[in-house]
């Protein structure tokens, strides 16, 4: 029986820590992660309508289920029903003041409702209640709200400032700001940008100058810390959101793209009339399905004998 299971496992795809080779801004080869979640911007999909239905089903059985009520509010916010969500979180706060998640959710919903001053108050309150939540990145949410309030006073604020308040330079090649002189500081800012953008982008469609500014800085960091290609991918997203420094963003996009992998040399064309040989993978891949069939048959036979 154990042999059968071993044979079956051998036929399954192997998940490994893989690395690709890309170019840094000096043109040198650097290894970069190739596994799921390795790219700068997270890619995920959740069916919020289906999740909402599930929470409402739970609440029919137990209308006082606080977790289901909270999660229903999260679904409402993602579905564009932020005012309903805000009213729900306000009620939860009245019932049980002091919960971190309630404060954070209220802050987000106030922002979605266009009430950035109230949003800033509640995001600061959420940090007070739990400084380490959201992987310790809510400091950036505060900066985002402060930038939005500054933009309300001066629509051109992002032409001379940035959400982070850090300067990656005005030349085509970015450089580290003085605030990011250590690896610890760089890792902290990169993590915050990735986390906050991962939460913000599903809620904020383009164009949006604040998201674009965050993406612009993440693109610079990705190019400096990872590879030119990673920076190029994020800069494309920044341009989709409409960065305030659009001209510089386009120049850096082209600059990062110039480091893309060189094209592989063209393979010689087969002579006319020559038979095409099957790819090497095709020659070697027959044994895995064969082992799978044998393993399943052996497993079924073993089960049949046990039942007798």
């Amino acid at each position: 029986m154990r042999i059968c299971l071993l044979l079956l496992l051998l036929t399954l795809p192997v998940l490994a820590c893989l690395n690709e080779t890309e170019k840094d801004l000096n043109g040198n080869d650097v290894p970069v992660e190739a596994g799921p979640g390795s790219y700068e911007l997270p890619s995920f999909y959740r069916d919020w309508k289906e999740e909402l239905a599930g929470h409402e089903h739970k609440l029919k059985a137990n209308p006082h289920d606080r977790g289901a009520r909270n999660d229903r509010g999260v679904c409402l916010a993602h579905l564009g029903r932020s005012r309903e969500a805000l009213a729900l979180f306000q009620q939860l706060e009245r019932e049980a003041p002091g919960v971190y998640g309630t404060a954070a959710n209220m802050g987000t919903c106030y922002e979605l409702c266009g009430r950035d001053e109230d949003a800033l108050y509640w995001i600061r309150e959420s940090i007070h209640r739990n400084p380490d939540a959201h992987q310790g990145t809510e400091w950036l949410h505060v900066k985002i709200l402060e930038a939005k309030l500054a933009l309300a006073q001066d629509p051109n604020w992002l032409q001379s400032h940035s959400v982070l308040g850090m300067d990656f330079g005005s030349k085509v090649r970015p450089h580290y700001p003085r605030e990011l002189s250590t690896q610890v500081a760089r890792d902290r800012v990169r993590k915050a940008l990735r986390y906050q953008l991962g939460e913000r982008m599903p809620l904020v469609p383009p164009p949006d100058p604040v998201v674009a500014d965050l993406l612009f800085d993440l693109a610079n960091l990705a190019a400096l810390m990872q590879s030119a290609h990673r920076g190029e991918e994020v800069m494309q997203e920044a341009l989709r959101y409409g960065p305030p420094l659009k001209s510089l963003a386009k120049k850096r996009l082209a600059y990062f793209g110039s480091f893309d992998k060189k094209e592989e040399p063209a393979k010689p064309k087969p002579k006319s009339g020559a038979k095409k040989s099957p790819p090497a993978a095709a020659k070697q891949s027959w044994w895995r399905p064969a082992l799978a069939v044998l393993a399943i048959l052996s497993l079924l036979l073993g089960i049949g004998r046990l039942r007798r």
Side-chain angles (χ1 to χ4, degrees):
M1 181 69 73
R2 290 179 181 175
I3 294 174
C4 297
L5 291 173
L6 179 60
L7 289 170
L8 186 58
L9 287 171
L10 284 171
T11 66
L12 298 175
V14 178
L15 295 177
C17 297
L18 301 175
N19 286 272
E20 295 175 315
T21 301
E22 296 178 0
K23 300 287 186 183
D24 64 14
L25 295 185
N26 293 318
N28 300 318
D29 287 344
V30 289
V32 290
E33 294 177 15
S38 62
Y39 289 90
E40 292 304 292
L41 295 173
S43 176
F44 60 89
Y45 170 77
R46 291 177 65 174
D47 190 333
W48 293 106
K49 287 184 178 179
E50 184 177 337
E51 291 190 33
L52 176 63
H55 297 312
E56 290 181 339
H57 180 72
K58 281 185 184 179
L59 289 169
K60 285 181 180 179
N62 181 9
H64 303 292
D65 185 331
R66 183 180 176 87
R69 291 167 70 199
N70 177 85
D71 295 348
R72 177 176 177 270
V74 172
C75 292
L76 290 173
H78 276 277
L79 292 170
R81 297 162 63 181
S82 51
R83 294 186 185 280
E84 289 180 64
L86 177 59
L88 193 158
F89 293 130
Q90 288 171 331
Q91 180 62 34
L92 290 174
E93 176 67 15
R94 285 192 291 270
E95 292 173 4
V99 177
Y100 158 75
T102 308
N105 290 339
M106 283 176 64
T108 300
C109 286
Y110 271 122
E111 183 181 0
L112 291 172
C113 292
R115 297 168 60 177
D116 291 330
E117 288 187 9
D118 292 324
L120 182 58
Y121 171 84
W122 282 104
I123 293 301
R124 283 175 172 162
E125 174 62 20
S126 73
I127 294 173
H128 174 72
R129 294 179 183 183
N130 186 357
D132 298 323
H134 288 215
Q135 299 182 16
T137 67
E138 284 292 80
W139 62 267
L140 182 52
H141 196 168
V142 168
K143 282 188 169 292
I144 290 168
L145 290 166
E146 289 173 343
K148 291 179 71 176
L149 290 171
L151 281 169
Q153 297 295 320
D154 176 11
N156 297 316
W157 185 82
L158 280 172
Q159 295 291 334
S160 54
H161 300 78
S162 73
V163 176
L164 279 177
M166 300 178 188
D167 184 9
F168 286 86
S170 57
K171 296 182 179 179
V172 68
R173 176 176 176 142
H175 61 72
Y176 285 116
R178 57 181 175 79
E179 297 90 345
L180 301 184
S181 59
T182 67
Q183 189 63 41
V184 172
R186 294 166 189 172
D187 290 338
R188 175 176 179 264
V189 170
R190 177 171 171 250
K191 181 176 78 170
L193 284 167
R194 296 177 72 189
Y195 191 97
Q196 291 292 323
L197 282 166
E199 291 198 329
R200 182 162 293 268
M201 290 173 70
L203 291 167
V204 182
D208 184 89
V210 171
V211 172
D213 183 74
L214 294 169
L215 286 166
F216 178 78
D217 282 349
L218 179 58
N220 293 323
L221 263 184
L224 291 165
M225 295 180 67
Q226 295 290 297
S227 71
H229 180 63
R230 300 294 163 101
E232 179 189 9
E233 289 183 329
V234 182
M235 195 63 80
Q236 288 173 340
E237 279 296 297
L239 283 164
R240 192 168 72 90
Y241 269 85
L245 303 178
K246 189 174 182 179
S247 176
L248 182 57
K250 285 184 174 181
K251 289 177 183 177
R252 285 192 179 160
L253 176 65
Y255 177 65
F256 297 158
S258 69
F259 289 92
D260 278 344
K261 296 177 183 177
K262 294 180 181 178
E263 293 184 5
E264 296 180 3
K267 296 179 181 179
K269 294 182 180 179
K271 296 179 181 179
S272 57
K275 293 182 178 179
K276 293 183 179 178
S277 59
K283 292 179 182 178
Q284 299 172 6
S285 62
W286 62 270
W287 63 272
R288 282 183 180 268
L291 278 176
V293 172
L294 287 172
I296 293 169
L297 287 174
S298 301
L299 191 60
L300 291 173
L301 287 170
I303 294 170
R305 287 174 184 170
L306 286 174
R307 286 179 177 174
R308 289 176 190 172

